[in-house]
Amino acid sequence: MTKRPIAAIILAAGKGTRMKSDLHKVLHPIARQPMLLHLIDSVATLKAERTVVVTGAGREQVEAAVAPLGIATALQAEQLGTGHAVLQARDALAGFDGDVLILYGDVPLVRAQTMQRMLDRLAAADAPAIVVLGFRPADPAAYGRVIADADGRIDRMVEYKDASDAERAVTLCNSGLMAVRAPDVFALLSRVGNDNAAGEYYLPDIVMLAAADGRGSAVIETDAAEVAGVNSRAELAAVDASWQAQRRAQAMADGATLIAPDTVWFAHDTVVGRDVVIEPNVFFGPGVTVADGAVIHAFCHVEGAIIGPGAEVGPFARLRPGAMMGEKSKVGNFVEMKKTVLGAGAKASHLTYLGDTEVGAGANIGAGTITCNYDGFFKYKTVIGAGAFIGSNSALVAPVTIGTGAIVAAGSVVTRDVEADALAVARGQQAARPGWAKRFRDAMTAKKNKQ
């Protein structure tokens, strides 16, 4: 393993016109996280000393996304090719004397392990000047080609536009990702010219410049899916699907049961325990933790929630940010929770909204119960004590506290606190008028017959 300091240059200057979006291309999400941040997270696991994002069109959006992470940016004001883009990071890496990874913000699925393999190859005994990450796509299309021997020693690299028919027949393609020592990268780039079909400064040219100095370079290979790029909405969907497939496989390998894996959608940070069962058509937003033994039934939407051991969710339930379910608690069909703690063994089995609520252990929330937490200006809290029973079709107008073991009669509108073990009845008095219904029907039928 290399011991040298690590820096990363991430290219994110492209306009992304094929996305047809006001949002910068590298900020479009994969698994509910901007693709650029996926890459930054992978770099962070390597404990990179410096990370520089090269921006261009839409720079303000990218700068705003990375500024909270303390990541430097460098501007490529004019789009003159990948070599020119990397050169813009020179000032940001002034004084850095380690190894540099060159990455692309729209190639988000590159794993930290693959980056480390590139660095390890750079540190190998034969001391290659540059390590290139290659891949073999099903359709090489217009990718640049890497011409190398069986041991990965590079003879030459050529852009598709400038390749001969024989070179285009080679299946080993250049992903664009590289590892190179900091003292070399900018010295080589300063010698790159633009005498090519596109009139651009190509980053791969540094391989041939190093070769002219008598220094060889090497290629290592990875799977094509890992270096899939995003230039359109369709490619974004394909890369997201690839990420999801890997995450589903990992969840099952870790001991979760997915009844219909292809219908479960994880966020980038979803945590799923052992012996969890997830039924079809479940969607996870960011910030969800599912503890061991929990069951999530079909057609649930879960975001920003903690689901405790053995808890049961759904079907057709929605857990919003701040929802916390205790051990063996339950929310059933058409229940919504927001910023609510449901105590151990507590139940809200159907047709209920719990917002800004604290529910004690073992409490039972009847069908159709609503905590009225918002007056149009402010939010207020409802507290329901342990073992309390809330009758069906009740409205609890916050701020209000229902005491431990209390019962709220069905159909009540509760506006004042209820003491422990008390019965609260807050509804109009029922009255019956014998024969009224028959007289009403007879009168209305007669009126209708006259028309």
Side-chain angles (χ1 to χ4, degrees), residues 160-378:
Y160 181 84
K161 297 173 185 176
D162 303 311
S164 66
D165 290 342
E167 289 168 335
R168 290 179 180 182
V170 172
T171 59
L172 182 59
C173 295
N174 174 25
S175 72
L177 280 68
M178 294 183 176
V180 56
R181 294 172 185 83
D184 291 333
V185 62
F186 297 116
L188 290 168
L189 282 171
S190 67
R191 296 162 52 192
V192 172
N194 65 344
D195 184 16
N196 52 59
E200 294 185 347
Y201 298 89
Y202 290 148
L203 176 62
D205 285 358
I206 65 175
V207 172
M208 300 316 299
L209 288 169
D213 295 339
R215 303 175 63 199
S217 296
V219 60
I220 66 170
E221 295 188 38
T222 192
D223 186 83
E226 188 175 1
V227 291
V230 175
N231 292 293
S232 66
R233 305 279 184 158
E235 290 176 351
L236 178 70
V239 170
D240 198 329
S242 176
W243 187 98
Q244 292 292 342
Q246 294 178 42
R247 182 64 185 89
R248 293 164 188 149
Q250 187 62 54
M252 291 185 285
D254 291 341
T257 294
L258 276 57
I259 303 300
D262 288 350
T263 70
V264 176
W265 293 85
F266 291 107
H268 65 98
D269 58 352
T270 308
V271 177
V272 178
R274 296 178 60 184
D275 295 317
V276 168
V277 176
I278 304 175
E279 292 185 356
N281 298 297
V282 173
F283 184 91
F284 293 99
V288 176
T289 297
V290 184
D292 294 351
V295 177
I296 304 179
H297 293 291
F299 295 98
C300 290
H301 189 290
V302 184
E303 181 171 358
I306 297 174
I307 299 171
E312 186 176 353
V313 182
F316 296 99
R318 184 181 182 193
L319 303 184
R320 292 167 56 195
M324 299 178 64
M325 295 182 62
E327 184 175 4
K328 295 184 178 179
S329 60
K330 177 183 177 181
V331 296
N333 49 293
F334 306 106
V335 173
E336 179 178 351
M337 284 176 51
K338 188 275 298 183
K339 201 175 179 181
T340 288
V341 177
L342 195 64
K347 297 179 181 179
S349 294
H350 28 234
L351 302 164
T352 290
Y353 171 70
L354 299 173
D356 299 279
T357 303
E358 181 181 320
V359 181
N364 193 318
I365 313 298
T369 296
I370 297 173
T371 56
C372 308
N373 59 326
Y374 184 51
D375 65 1
F377 296 92
F378 300 101

Side-chain angles (χ1 to χ4, degrees), residues 128-143:
I130 300 151
V131 173
V132 174
L133 185 62
F135 69 110
R136 298 181 188 272
D139 178 10
Y143 291 108

Side-chain angles (χ1 to χ4, degrees), residues 371-443:
T371 56
C372 308
N373 59 326
Y374 184 51
D375 65 1
F377 296 92
F378 300 101
K379 298 289 182 69
Y380 303 93
K381 185 175 182 179
T382 297
V383 177
I384 299 171
F389 183 93
I390 311 299
S392 298
N393 201 35
S394 294
L396 309 181
V397 183
V400 68
T401 296
I402 311 300
T404 300
I407 295 176
V408 173
S412 293
V413 178
V414 179
T415 59
R416 296 191 300 272
D417 291 351
V418 179
E419 65 183 46
D421 294 319
L423 168 66
V425 182
R427 59 191 181 205
Q429 205 168 30
Q430 182 171 317
R433 299 180 182 180
W436 186 92
K438 185 177 185 306
R439 292 193 296 273
F440 173 77
R441 287 194 299 271
D442 291 345

